[in-house]
Amino acid sequence: MYATAVVEGKVIRFKLSPALARAHRENRGKTMTEKEAVAFVEAKRPSRALRRAKPYLESHS
């Protein structure tokens, strides 16, 4: 599957990996507002930070 994006005023066409193409088809018609997208990312931030810090914390305890 090919996708199109506008980057710095230029139209870029690129091929999606099979996994991304499948995800794109599954999410067709679902959209988020900018506010919803920011809230989604901010909700994931603490758990991601803890997951990344865990090996470091374990090695220093």
Side-chain angles (χ1 to χ4, degrees):
M1 170 181 220
Y2 285 90
T4 308
V6 178
V7 179
E8 296 179 3
K10 295 179 182 175
V11 177
I12 308 289
R13 191 161 186 243
F14 54 95
K15 186 173 180 162
L16 291 178
S17 70
L20 283 175
R22 186 171 42 258
H24 180 71
R25 282 191 302 275
E26 289 172 5
N27 291 324
R28 185 173 291 155
K30 298 177 189 173
T31 58
M32 278 189 197
T33 64
E34 189 173 329
K35 254 184 170 175
E36 290 171 329
V38 169
F40 175 80
V41 170
E42 291 297 327
K44 291 212 172 265
R45 190 181 303 252
S47 63
R48 182 174 183 236
L50 183 61
R51 194 170 59 246
R52 286 183 155 191
K54 197 173 184 179
Y56 173 80
L57 296 172
E58 288 173 349
S59 69
H60 286 81
S61 58

